[in-house]
Amino acid sequence: MKNNATKNLIQSLEDKYSAINQDKNVYLEGLLHSKTINYWDYIHTDALLNLQIQRTTLPDEMVFIGYHQINELIFKMILWELQQLAEMPVLNVDIFTDKLMRVSRYFDMLTSSFAIMQDGMDLAQYNKFRHTLTPASGFQSAQYRKIEFASTELINLIDPRFRETIDRDTAFEHAFEHLYWQAAGKDFKTGKKSILLTNFETRYKEEFITFMKVYNTKNLWTRYKELSVDDQKNNTLVNAMRHYDYTVNITWVMAHFNAAKHYILASSGDGEATGGSNWQKYMHPKYQKRIFFPELWSAKEKDNWGHEV
């Protein structure tokens, strides 16, 4: 039995490397010289643990840095799942639902983790070291912006004030200038942008526009509409879509909002975000009404979006 298993394995290797015009013996010989793997080399633990570099001597800054780096790692995992949905040649209800619930669980974890931020740092320390971050802000998380682009039609990310003048034929550069989060750092009357927004765009604008173009035809909503009419009515899938939408755009956002309010509006705070944005109106869902899948919500639900929290 063991000999047969070995023969089958060798034949499978032969088939694998023959398919790409490679000699399996070269790869097998390479195994003779390879080192055994261990946890710390596989995870790159030493490199990961040396990325937390404080700008101050205040101990709780380490909590702030580590927490946000963990968030970015989770965002990367979310984008990994969304990319699979975007690129899968044929989707079915089960795969779509499974991936959506995976992503929702990541956001559930991010939501509950805000207790670390809200209750895990000394108020006085935070309101001292935060000034060394100016003009940086969590607003500048590029991965989170990509999650939004990958989730919905671009029109749903446009500032509500400008949606009537923008459609699928609008140039991406023009649409970019009217995304909802532009309001956090731009005066639409003068066109003047804050350094927070200017720095962000200098680093990521071209990358964002390319990403927007790619996901314009394979975001979650577009892929959902590719399913059959019957599959689009599947209750399990629809509930998963709605759960994801609510989790990202209300539950998670409000946890972030409340954590920010805890520190910024504290007696030792100054009420201003590090990037200088009008953070309360930018963050609270009742103002921007960020909804990924508006067609899956009733008119009343959309009108009351974010008002009950």
Side-chain angles (χ1 to χ4, degrees):
M1 291 290 290
K2 187 174 183 180
N3 287 338
N4 287 337
T6 301
K7 287 180 181 178
N8 290 336
L9 182 58
I10 291 174
Q11 185 59 53
S12 295
L13 290 169
E14 180 71 50
D15 295 341
K16 173 182 177 179
Y17 291 112
S18 293
I20 56 173
N21 199 29
Q22 295 286 297
D23 183 354
K24 80 173 187 307
N25 291 329
V26 174
Y27 289 87
L28 290 173
E29 185 178 350
L31 288 174
L32 293 174
H33 309 292
S34 64
K35 295 189 296 183
T36 56
I37 193 69
N38 52 58
Y39 175 82
W40 51 91
D41 285 335
Y42 181 67
I43 301 298
H44 295 283
T45 307
D46 291 341
L48 189 62
L49 297 182
N50 277 287
L51 295 175
Q52 296 73 46
I53 302 171
Q54 290 184 243
R55 292 174 60 88
T56 73
T57 58
L58 298 163
D60 282 357
E61 185 188 2
M62 182 62 74
V63 178
F64 187 84
I65 294 171
Y67 178 79
H68 282 82
Q69 289 183 346
I70 291 168
N71 271 240
E72 291 296 335
L73 288 173
I74 299 299
F75 287 160
K76 183 173 183 176
M77 295 167 73
I78 290 168
L79 283 168
W80 182 250
E81 299 293 346
L82 296 178
Q83 181 182 346
Q84 291 175 66
L85 279 174
E87 297 179 354
M88 200 167 291
V90 179
L91 276 174
N92 61 49
V93 168
D94 291 338
I95 293 174
F96 213 137
T97 303
D98 177 67
K99 294 293 186 185
L100 279 172
M101 294 312 296
R102 283 192 192 187
V103 174
S104 291
R105 284 193 294 272
Y106 288 140
F107 269 104
D108 286 339
M109 182 172 68
L110 289 171
T111 300
S112 62
S113 73
F114 270 113
I116 295 171
M117 279 283 288
Q118 186 165 327
D119 302 318
M121 293 188 299
D122 180 80
L123 278 169
Q125 285 189 42
Y126 172 79
N127 282 309
K128 289 178 181 176
F129 73 68
R130 67 188 292 265
H131 291 297
T132 68
L133 311 180
T134 305
S137 167
F139 167 93
Q140 296 170 318
S141 172
Q143 289 198 113
Y144 182 68
R145 301 304 166 198
K146 288 181 177 180
I147 289 170
E148 293 183 314
F149 295 142
S151 295
T152 187
E153 293 284 346
L154 191 57
I155 191 66
N156 297 321
L157 300 176
I158 298 297
D159 188 312
R161 293 172 293 176
F162 307 108
R163 288 183 185 176
E164 291 185 1
T165 63
I166 292 176
D167 57 30
R168 292 190 68 85
D169 295 324
T170 301
F172 285 97
E173 289 79 2
H174 181 77
F176 180 87
E177 293 295 334
H178 295 83
L179 291 167
Y180 80 89
W181 44 262
Q182 288 275 346
K186 179 180 180 180
D187 184 331
F188 281 103
K189 292 181 179 179
T190 65
K192 185 176 181 180
K193 299 182 180 183
S194 67
I195 188 172
L196 163 79
L197 189 55
T198 300
N199 289 347
F200 192 41
E201 291 184 359
T202 299
R203 173 63 178 83
Y204 290 112
K205 182 176 179 178
E206 292 306 315
E207 185 176 333
F208 281 160
I209 289 176
T210 298
F211 195 90
M212 289 159 63
K213 290 177 179 178
V214 170
Y215 278 85
N216 188 48
T217 56
K218 57 183 183 181
N219 59 73
L220 287 180
W221 182 252
T222 301
R223 300 254 38 202
Y224 169 79
K225 295 299 287 184
E226 292 174 7
L227 298 173
S228 68
V229 174
D230 286 341
D231 283 347
Q232 289 180 40
K233 295 177 181 178
N234 181 279
N235 286 332
T236 303
L237 176 57
V238 170
N239 288 336
M241 297 278 283
R242 283 167 55 92
H243 178 71
Y244 173 67
D245 204 349
Y246 192 91
T247 298
V248 177
N249 290 313
I250 292 186
T251 309
W252 181 77
V253 169
M254 285 306 302
H256 190 181
F257 176 84
N258 288 329
K261 185 169 66 172
H262 176 73
Y263 289 99
I264 298 175
L265 297 184
S267 58
S268 57
D270 58 13
E272 297 292 330
T274 53
S277 65
N278 186 348
W279 62 275
Q280 294 192 64
K281 284 197 172 182
Y282 155 69
M283 290 180 68
H284 203 293
K286 70 181 180 181
Y287 294 111
Q288 293 294 343
K289 291 190 181 297
R290 295 181 291 276
I291 307 176
F292 289 156
F293 317 124
E295 290 87 345
L296 299 182
W297 301 91
S298 68
K300 183 178 180 181
E301 287 172 324
K302 287 184 285 188
D303 288 341
N304 292 328
W305 193 259
H307 283 270
E308 75 277 18
V309 292

